Amino acid sequence: MNIQIKNVIKFFGKKEVLKGISFSVTKGKCIGILGENGSGKSTLFGVLTGLYKGQGEFSVDGVDLIKNHRLRRKLVGFVPQDPPLVEELSAYDNLRLWYSKAEIEAQLKNGNLAMLGIGDFLKMRVSKLSGGMKKRLAIACSISYDPKILLLDEPCTALDIICKESIYSYISSHLKKGGTVILASHDVYELSLCDDLYLLKNGVLKYYSGERELDSLVKALADE
Amino acid sequence: MNNFFRYLRFWLLKAFKLYPVIIIFTLLLALGAGLILGNILIGRSESEENTKFQIGLVGDTSDSYLGIGVFAVTNLDISKDYAEFVEMTEDEAISKLKSNEILGYVSIPDGFIESVLYGDNADIKFITGKKPAILGTLLIEEICTVVSDLVVGAQNGIYGYSDFLGELTPAERSKLIDKINVEYLSCVFDRDSAYEINELGYAESLSFELYYISAFVTLLILLWGICCAVLMIKNSYSLSRSLFLEGRGVVSQIFGEFISFVLIIFINVQLVLLALGIVIEVCGFDLSSVPAFESLALCLSFGIRLIPVILVLCSMQLFLYEVSNGVIGSIVLQVLAVILFSYLSGFSFPIHSLPTAIQNISAFLPTTAAFNFVSSIFAESLSVTSVFTVMLWIIAFVGATVFVRNCKIRSERYD
């Protein structure tokens, strides 16, 4: 599976927020995108998922997913920063919006839900879950149809290391199964998991090949 | 379709999980409304007991004819709860008028009755303070004008007739005129002969009582809609976006939420009607003046007939919830809308008593359409126009909600 993002452009009014973003990624690879707050990482994901209108191409094996909504919905899973959960209901009730009863049972035995440890808090009300649990549940909801391409928008923000580890395990497992991950993050450790790293600043995406230490990354962002 | 039912099931589950909270809000609202209403009613009855509008009577009030007139005006059905005549001197009257102790005073010139009886019509003056005319003032002024016109007109007739009585001696003529005057005045103030009361009501084929019951039912549904704020308010559109990206469009989302909202309100309505029906049947109340509530079965069928009303009011509130942001903003908007529309649609004052401009505006409001529908259920005169108007509003509001949700999901922001 060859994924190409070509010349993605997005304007907010007259301001060009994304200036011809281009990169490619192959099957089983993880791409990291680092940028300051407000640099356009979530906007990029919005254009790639079809939420926002923009110009450019997002193709998989030559098929443009921006135009082909049905194929995009099958192949692309998006995990937003803000978990798409209803606080008043339990984790199970939230999952029932995305999975059938049988699917939940199957996945809890040896599927993605088991890997994410959802069974530990299945019957708990979402409002009583920790941040890490909510994030894992949000990921579980977003991958119900087992998408090949995952777009993760800061998946581990404000999580403890144990929660992060379970999410990283899931990401690793997804990559091993031949899936692809495009990850937007500020977390140095998360970015260290990525095969390729890009910096997004002033609407321009540039490949980063330097050290993945905090100081180096900060300097790189400041210099761009 | 499967996705729609999945979302509907999800939203119904949320609605039923939040139902106890909705019930608590409803009870608090009922308690608050009951306290306010009780306070108003108690305050009004106390004020009615102690402070009727006082009208001063200045001048020579000793004449028996004047006594008949004052007695009649004081005891007319429409004025007796509002007005009380108190004799006083002119200086006292002016002083009390300035200090707002009296609404106004009637100044009767000396020898008024004699002048009337002998064909001279001295003016009775009604003096009020500098305040906008209110019902009591208008009422008394109107009564004075009518009585005065009646007396003056009658006197013209009587004295015109007396010219034909030239053959009578002065004493005989005087006696005859006195007799005519007395009989005429008795006729004027004998309400059974002078007029009959027709209860016209304030809507076609609807009594005063049913008018306000219709208003109350409509208002209650609106207030329940506010109590469902915990269900309807959204702090985040993340779920809506995720559903949209998965191919579950805005239309199916809105319909799922709308149906859940309507169902909760319908259940509330039926529970109240069920309780009402049981109380009526157990206690044996006579509610023949409100046929829709005569029995338990009729109460419940009334609830079913209210479905279009519930749909239109819920669609309006769904739209208001969608356009507002946050908890406080949403509730404030809902409350303001209820207050404004209640007034404009004639829930508090009969629409026909409001200015023409407001009546014109009211004709185009969804709450008026809902209220008219409820009224027509009570009047058993449901028309195609009522149904059509209600359906139009439902489609308009649901359509507008879909549009707003679409804009909010796709609202672009710097990230």
Side-chain angles (χ1 to χ4, degrees):
Chain A
M1 186 163 62
N2 185 26
I3 298 159
Q4 297 273 341
I5 286 98
K6 277 186 194 169
N7 204 28
V8 171
I9 295 170
K10 174 67 186 164
F11 282 89
F12 281 135
K14 290 183 180 174
K15 183 178 166 58
E16 192 177 15
V17 180
L18 300 175
K19 299 173 182 173
I21 307 287
S22 297
F23 61 95
S24 64
V25 58
T26 51
K27 189 169 133 176
K29 297 287 184 189
C30 177
I31 298 291
I33 298 177
L34 172 68
E36 296 166 346
N37 290 331
S39 58
K41 302 184 296 299
S42 298
T43 305
L44 174 62
F45 284 165
V47 173
L48 296 181
T49 55
L51 195 60
Y52 306 148
K53 286 181 185 168
Q55 300 165 45
E57 193 182 306
F58 174 28
S59 62
V60 175
D61 294 333
V63 179
D64 188 355
L65 295 186
I66 289 178
K67 290 175 185 163
N68 192 329
H69 315 291
R70 286 190 182 180
L71 189 60
R72 185 183 69 228
R73 283 175 194 143
K74 277 187 187 172
L75 291 178
V76 181
F78 174 55
V79 182
Q81 256 180 291
D82 192 8
L85 305 169
V86 171
E87 298 270 320
E88 294 84 5
L89 299 179
S90 67
Y92 179 78
D93 291 330
N94 274 275
L95 284 172
R96 283 286 281 122
L97 181 59
W98 309 93
Y99 298 83
S100 66
K101 216 171 168 182
E103 283 170 345
I104 292 176
E105 283 172 15
Q107 292 278 338
L108 280 172
K109 278 183 188 163
N110 55 2
N112 290 328
L113 298 186
M115 201 176 314
L116 287 164
I118 302 297
D120 299 338
F121 52 85
L122 192 66
K123 296 294 181 186
M124 282 174 66
R125 207 164 138 157
V126 169
S127 57
K128 296 195 186 303
L129 299 180
S130 68
M133 291 172 177
K134 285 183 187 174
K135 207 68 183 189
R136 284 189 275 157
L137 183 60
I139 293 172
C141 291
S142 302
I143 59 168
S144 61
Y145 47 96
D146 208 15
K148 296 287 177 241
I149 304 166
L150 272 183
L151 306 181
L152 303 174
D153 195 350
E154 299 184 32
C156 298
T157 304
L159 301 188
D160 60 55
I161 52 172
I162 294 170
C163 288
K164 284 183 184 180
E165 200 50 51
S166 65
I167 292 173
Y168 298 156
S169 300
Y170 168 72
I171 293 172
S172 298
S173 163
H174 178 75
L175 292 168
K176 279 180 190 163
K177 284 191 244 173
T180 305
V181 174
I182 301 174
L183 174 72
S185 180
H186 300 294
D187 192 303
V188 173
Y189 183 63
E190 264 172 43
L191 293 171
S192 68
L193 300 173
C194 301
D195 298 293
D196 292 319
L197 183 60
Y198 289 85
L199 303 179
L200 180 60
K201 186 163 179 175
N202 296 325
V204 177
L205 193 77
K206 282 195 177 165
Y207 182 77
Y208 178 78
S209 56
E211 295 290 325
R212 293 194 187 180
E213 301 291 331
L214 179 63
D215 292 341
S216 307
L217 288 166
V218 168
K219 191 174 180 295
L221 270 177
D223 288 345
E224 290 296 322
Chain B
M1 189 58 91
N2 194 32
N3 283 336
F4 168 71
F5 283 116
R6 203 180 267 188
Y7 190 66
L8 176 61
R9 179 195 166 279
F10 179 79
W11 208 258
L12 283 173
L13 194 60
K14 182 182 175 187
F16 286 115
K17 292 238 173 173
L18 288 170
Y19 196 63
V21 179
I22 293 171
I23 291 288
I24 289 169
F25 276 128
T26 306
L27 290 172
L28 286 172
L29 186 72
L31 187 66
L35 284 170
I36 292 168
L37 195 63
N39 203 36
I40 291 170
L41 290 174
I42 290 166
R44 185 175 282 179
S45 77
E46 280 175 356
S47 71
E48 279 172 359
E49 291 291 324
N50 300 327
T51 57
K52 289 183 187 178
F53 295 125
Q54 289 204 330
I55 310 283
L57 262 183
V58 172
D60 181 8
T61 58
S62 59
D63 192 272
S64 57
Y65 286 139
L66 190 62
I68 293 169
V70 170
F71 175 78
V73 170
T74 308
N75 288 283
L76 279 171
D77 288 334
I78 49 173
S79 64
K80 69 178 178 186
D81 291 331
Y82 298 96
E84 184 184 353
F85 287 91
V86 180
E87 291 183 30
M88 56 187 70
T89 64
E90 184 143 22
D91 290 337
E92 277 176 340
I94 291 169
S95 167
K96 287 191 176 189
L97 187 64
K98 284 179 181 172
S99 60
N100 290 325
E101 286 175 56
I102 58 174
L103 195 68
Y105 68 90
V106 179
S107 175
I108 300 162
D110 292 339
F112 169 71
I113 293 297
E114 286 80 7
S115 69
V116 165
L117 289 173
Y118 288 101
D120 297 323
N121 298 303
D123 291 330
I124 289 182
K125 290 186 185 129
F126 181 61
I127 297 100
T128 62
K130 287 182 185 174
K131 56 170 89 173
I134 56 175
L135 181 64
T137 308
L138 292 170
L139 180 69
I140 298 303
E141 194 177 326
E142 197 58 38
I143 291 168
C144 288
T145 306
V146 166
V147 170
S148 178
D149 286 347
L150 277 172
V151 171
V152 166
Q155 293 309 300
N156 285 336
I158 289 164
Y159 282 96
Y161 184 64
S162 76
D163 290 343
F164 291 98
L165 301 176
E167 292 179 11
L168 298 173
T169 65
E172 286 170 338
R173 192 162 56 237
S174 175
K175 203 172 168 183
L176 188 62
I177 287 168
D178 281 348
K179 190 179 171 190
I180 293 170
N181 275 319
V182 169
E183 285 185 9
Y184 177 72
L185 286 171
S186 298
C187 177
V188 167
F189 294 116
D190 178 0
R191 297 194 300 282
D192 290 341
S193 302
Y195 62 88
E196 61 183 38
I197 295 171
N198 285 315
E199 195 170 290
L200 298 177
Y202 289 83
E204 205 173 354
S205 306
L206 204 65
S207 69
F208 184 83
E209 183 186 24
L210 287 179
Y211 179 94
Y212 276 106
I213 291 175
S214 304
F216 177 73
V217 168
T218 316
L219 183 61
L220 196 61
I221 294 172
L222 282 170
L223 293 176
W224 268 324
I226 298 177
C227 293
C228 289
V230 287
L231 173 67
M232 303 306 295
I233 291 174
K234 284 185 179 48
N235 290 317
S236 162
Y237 281 87
S238 181
L239 177 61
S240 293
R241 282 197 191 96
S242 295
L243 289 167
F244 177 78
L245 291 176
E246 207 218 2
R248 301 194 219 187
V250 171
V251 174
S252 69
Q253 291 178 38
I254 295 297
F255 266 98
E257 293 165 29
F258 181 50
I259 290 169
S260 308
F261 188 18
V262 168
L263 200 60
I264 288 290
I265 300 295
F266 179 69
I267 289 171
N268 280 350
V269 168
Q270 288 297 78
L271 284 175
V272 168
L273 289 171
L274 177 70
L276 180 67
I278 290 170
V279 165
I280 289 167
E281 298 232 330
V282 166
C283 300
F285 287 130
D286 175 23
L287 283 178
S288 52
S289 61
V290 189
F293 299 153
E294 273 188 304
S295 69
L296 175 59
L298 283 171
C299 284
L300 293 175
S301 80
F302 175 74
I304 291 169
R305 286 184 287 167
L306 273 182
I307 287 174
V309 177
I310 295 171
L311 284 169
V312 69
L313 295 176
C314 283
S315 66
M316 182 187 86
Q317 291 186 297
L318 179 78
F319 173 70
L320 291 176
Y321 278 123
E322 196 64 32
V323 297
S324 53
N325 288 316
V327 174
I328 294 173
S330 297
I331 293 177
V332 165
L333 182 62
Q334 292 285 347
V335 170
L336 287 176
V338 167
I339 292 170
L340 179 66
F341 287 149
S342 298
Y343 173 72
L344 293 176
S345 294
F347 292 2
S348 42
F349 298 102
I351 192 68
H352 298 90
S353 67
L354 297 176
T356 310
I358 292 181
Q359 288 186 44
N360 292 337
I361 293 168
S362 175
F364 294 101
L365 295 179
T367 41
T368 305
F371 172 59
N372 287 342
F373 198 98
V374 178
S375 305
S376 59
I377 294 175
F378 280 116
E380 292 176 7
S381 62
L382 194 60
S383 68
V384 172
T385 311
S386 295
V387 176
F388 185 68
T389 310
V390 158
M391 292 298 143
L392 267 181
W393 276 117
I394 294 167
I395 292 167
F397 277 125
V398 172
T401 307
V402 167
F403 175 75
V404 173
R405 173 70 61 91
N406 205 35
C407 292
K408 284 196 169 184
I409 284 175
R410 290 171 174 271
S411 68
E412 298 169 345
R413 52 198 180 172
Y414 286 85
D415 268 326

